[in-house]
């Protein structure tokens, strides 16, 4: 759903009819019940707005959803497959929460993981470079439970050791290899009904990869790090699917201009 919203709602000032979302997701084998449940859950969590026009309900992006999707856009298109500009600085986050606040602990860990942090040891997470961990803590209402500082490693600690202690590089590489195995073929996903379905699945696969990739320093990765080849493939396939997918989306999607209060189109 995040891939779909990023592709067809982000930056457009529009809301989309729920029936159109159901039609799009049917192309990738997702049931109507699952789509409706996901839309309702995202609306309850403050990620989607609801606008009723007659008997139709249109879903648009909230400011929070826009922030999430813009961050994902930067991760996909601007960050690059590897971090070649690292200056040796680490951001460290320490936290301690009471036993009963397991949900807060889960949310904090999830947000840190998305921001590129890995767990060095219990209650201590690190990420290469300077990260705005304070904003994560503030957004979750956990500022008083979190300590943030930046540092550089010192002997006997080596930065390469920190990379491999805090991050499972083998698992990260395996994800890129799986992506290449699925998509680096002459005709990807021949059983998919059309290029709109292929585009949605391509972006979903890639977004899942970049969500798990902490953008580690290139100097501590293998020379043949698979993210580089996988990123090049993703960009080629995105260019290949983009125009035919957009034409199909225009045919199937009923949208509402929520900036000007216009009529569905």
């Amino acid at each position: 759903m995040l891939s779909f919203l990023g592709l067809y709602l982000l930056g457009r000032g529009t809301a989309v009819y729920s029936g159109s979302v159901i039609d799009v997701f049917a192309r990738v084998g997702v049931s109507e019940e699952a789509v409706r449940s996901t839309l309702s859950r995202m609306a309850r969590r403050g990620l989607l707005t609801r606008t009723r026009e007659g008997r139709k309900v249109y879903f648009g992006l909230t400011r929070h959803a826009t922030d999430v999707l813009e961050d994902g856009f930067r991760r996909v298109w601007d960050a690059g497959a590897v971090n070649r500009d690292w200056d040796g600085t680490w951001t460290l986050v320490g936290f301690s929460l009471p036993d009963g606040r397991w949900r807060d602990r889960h949310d904090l860990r999830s947000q840190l993981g998305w921001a590129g942090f890995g767990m060095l040891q219990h209650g201590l997470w690190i990420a290469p470079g300077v990260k705005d961990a304070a904003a994560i803590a503030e957004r979750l209402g956990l500022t008083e439970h979190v300590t943030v500082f930046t540092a550089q490693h010192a002997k006997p600690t080596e930065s390469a050791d920190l990379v491999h202690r805090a991050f499972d590089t083998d698992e990260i590489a395996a994800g890129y290899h799986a992506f290449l195995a699925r998509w680096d073929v002459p005709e990807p996903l021949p059983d998919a009904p059309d290029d709109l379905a292929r585009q949605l699945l391509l972006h979903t696969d890639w977004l899942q990869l970049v969500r798990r990739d902490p953008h580690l320093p290139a100097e501590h990765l293998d020379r043949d790090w698979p993210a580089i080849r996988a990123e090049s493939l993703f960009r080629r396939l995105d260019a290949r699917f983009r125009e035919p997918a957009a034409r199909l989306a225009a045919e199937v999607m009923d949208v509402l201009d929520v900036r000007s209060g216009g009529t569905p189109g």
Side-chain angles (χ1 to χ4, degrees), residues 97-103 105:
L97 293 167
D99 291 341
R101 299 186 66 174
W102 59 269
R103 181 59 181 268
R105 188 179 296 107

Side-chain angles (χ1 to χ4, degrees), residues 194-214:
D194 51 45
D195 282 345
L196 177 56
R198 293 185 186 92
Q199 181 196 46
L200 186 58
L201 292 169
L202 173 72
H203 277 255
T204 298
D205 282 359
W206 189 248
L207 185 60
Q208 288 176 345
L209 283 175
V210 298
R211 282 179 67 90
R212 294 194 296 264
D213 189 340

Side-chain angles (χ1 to χ4, degrees), residues 28-242:
V28 293
V30 179
S31 69
E32 176 178 344
E33 180 182 4
V35 172
R36 291 191 184 279
S37 175
T38 300
L39 291 172
S40 296
R41 184 170 63 252
M42 294 180 74
R44 288 195 302 270
R45 293 179 61 186
L47 291 167
L48 295 178
T49 62
R50 284 189 177 97
T51 303
R52 185 173 292 277
E53 286 283 325
R55 299 179 63 182
K56 293 182 176 181
V57 176
Y58 293 78
F59 288 87
L61 302 178
T62 63
R63 181 66 255 177
H64 177 40
T66 298
D67 290 343
V68 170
L69 293 173
E70 287 179 344
D71 184 47
F73 183 92
R74 288 189 293 269
R75 290 283 293 271
V76 169
W77 297 107
D78 297 339
V82 296
N83 183 353
R84 294 185 173 87
D85 301 318
W86 184 57
D87 63 359
T89 300
W90 295 91
T91 300
L92 293 88
V93 175
F95 62 89
S96 179
L97 293 167
D99 291 341
R101 299 186 66 174
W102 59 269
R103 181 59 181 268
D104 289 335
R105 188 179 296 107
H106 169 78
D107 289 346
L108 178 57
R109 288 173 172 170
S110 297
Q111 290 292 312
L112 289 173
W114 167 246
F117 286 83
M119 188 172 71
L120 183 62
Q121 59 191 53
H122 182 69
L124 181 62
W125 290 58
I126 65 171
V130 177
K131 307 286 186 179
D132 191 3
I136 296 174
E138 183 178 358
R139 187 164 59 245
L140 296 174
L142 299 175
T143 301
E144 63 185 75
H145 300 281
V146 172
T147 302
V148 181
F149 49 99
T150 58
Q152 294 188 330
H153 75 279
K155 296 292 185 181
T157 303
E158 297 290 346
S159 58
D161 295 335
L162 293 176
V163 166
H164 293 288
R165 284 171 57 192
F167 305 96
D168 190 339
T169 54
D170 289 339
E171 182 180 359
I172 296 168
Y176 285 112
H177 284 303
F179 179 87
L180 289 164
R182 186 182 195 194
W183 292 99
D184 195 12
V185 294
E187 295 298 330
L189 302 191
D191 294 334
D194 51 45
D195 282 345
L196 177 56
R198 293 185 186 92
Q199 181 196 46
L200 186 58
L201 292 169
L202 173 72
H203 277 255
T204 298
D205 282 359
W206 189 248
L207 185 60
Q208 288 176 345
L209 283 175
V210 298
R211 282 179 67 90
R212 294 194 296 264
D213 189 340
H215 205 227
L216 297 171
E219 64 198 77
H220 297 312
L221 299 172
D222 295 339
R223 289 182 179 273
D224 59 346
W225 185 244
I228 299 171
R229 186 158 64 94
E231 180 184 46
S232 176
L233 174 65
F234 166 75
R235 291 175 180 267
R236 290 200 309 273
L237 290 176
D238 172 73
R240 173 176 167 182
F241 299 147
R242 188 181 306 152

